[in-house]
Amino acid sequence: MVKKKNDQNIKTVKAEKRLKTALYYSVELLIDVLLIYIIVHGFSLAFNFTYNVFHDSAKDVKSKEYVIVTIEPDSSSRDIAQTLYDSGVIKNKNVMWGKIVVGEYGGKIKPGNYGLSPSMTYKEILTLLTAESDDEDDKKQQVTQTSTEDIPKGASVVPNHGDNDGTMPDEAAGGKDTQKEGTDDGEGGEGGDSDDSGENGDGEDAY
């Protein structure tokens, strides 16, 4: 009886050791798999990021919509990338930030309003934001005029977060001038009627 109990205890101890060993190797294998996954996933992200930074692409090459994007003065590279991303003209703000840093565009980007489209590539957008002009007067006006004049005729301009009604600066100014001319014409017409009345009155007196 005693010998049988000892044999059973020995078998139990061996079974427990085998179970612990199996459990140890299972946990170790799981940790190794997780480490491999993290390394592969991290490498994939790094490769995709690097590839996109040095490869030019657009968010939607078929898009015909344009958005008026405002670049504020003293904006950092992160702020500019975030603004472009929030406006919906780029697909990855981190890639745009990387392009600005790698290409050293940070100090060249001009503040102001720009007509941009999701069909534009990263390079086309940066070229527009850093456009230079030889004429000093053109430099002052290039943000509000030149950049928005690049919008093709017939393209739809959508408002940016409801802050802009999609009206181009030149169009808005033209509308005001037209309205003013209409008012001036009306005043001139009234003046003409008064003169005609005055002349008729003189004629009656003379008669």
Side-chain angles (χ1 to χ4, degrees):
M1 296 289 294
V2 175
K3 187 176 181 180
K4 287 182 179 180
K5 288 183 179 179
N6 290 335
D7 292 339
Q8 289 179 352
N9 290 335
I10 292 172
K11 289 180 180 180
T12 303
V13 171
K14 288 181 178 180
E16 289 178 353
K17 285 183 178 180
R18 290 188 189 126
L19 182 61
K20 289 180 180 179
T21 302
L23 183 61
Y24 170 78
Y25 283 115
S26 297
V27 172
E28 191 176 41
L29 180 62
L30 179 61
I31 293 173
D32 291 340
V33 170
L34 288 175
L35 287 175
I36 293 173
Y37 172 78
I38 291 172
I39 292 172
V40 171
H41 187 63
F43 176 79
S44 177
L45 290 176
F47 175 81
N48 289 334
F49 177 77
T50 305
Y51 175 79
N52 288 324
V53 167
F54 292 97
H55 174 72
D56 204 20
S57 62
K59 180 179 180 179
D60 184 4
V61 294
K62 297 181 180 180
S63 176
K64 295 183 179 179
E65 293 183 345
Y66 279 76
V67 181
I68 305 302
V69 181
T70 301
I71 303 298
E72 299 293 341
D74 300 325
S75 296
S76 65
S77 300
R78 287 281 188 187
D79 294 335
I80 294 170
Q82 185 68 50
T83 299
L84 295 173
Y85 179 78
D86 292 340
S87 300
V89 295
I90 60 173
K91 57 185 176 182
N92 192 316
K93 60 183 179 183
N94 294 322
V95 170
M96 175 56 83
W97 171 78
K99 286 180 177 290
I100 294 174
V101 174
V102 173
E104 298 181 351
Y105 290 104
K108 302 176 183 178
I109 295 177
K110 309 296 187 300
N113 301 320
Y114 295 87
L116 305 176
S117 171
S119 62
M120 291 181 175
T121 63
Y122 290 103
K123 185 177 181 179
E124 289 174 338
I125 292 174
L126 289 173
T127 299
L128 211 73
L129 298 182
T130 58
E132 290 286 354
S133 176
D134 295 332
D135 191 343
E136 291 297 328
D137 293 335
D138 289 343
K139 286 183 179 179
K140 296 178 182 179
Q141 300 296 329
Q142 68 178 5
V143 169
T144 56
Q145 292 185 3
T146 305
S147 58
T148 51
E149 285 176 357
D150 290 335
I151 298 177
K153 293 182 179 180
S156 59
V157 180
V158 297
N160 185 5
H161 297 296
D163 297 334
N164 195 307
D165 60 0
T167 304
M168 304 305 297
D170 294 341
E171 293 176 356
K176 292 180 180 179
D177 294 341
T178 303
Q179 184 178 3
K180 184 177 180 181
E181 290 176 359
T183 304
D184 294 340
D185 293 341
E187 292 177 354
E190 291 177 0
D193 293 341
S194 299
D195 293 340
D196 292 342
S197 299
E199 291 176 359
N200 292 335
D202 294 341
E204 291 177 357
D205 293 341
Y207 180 77

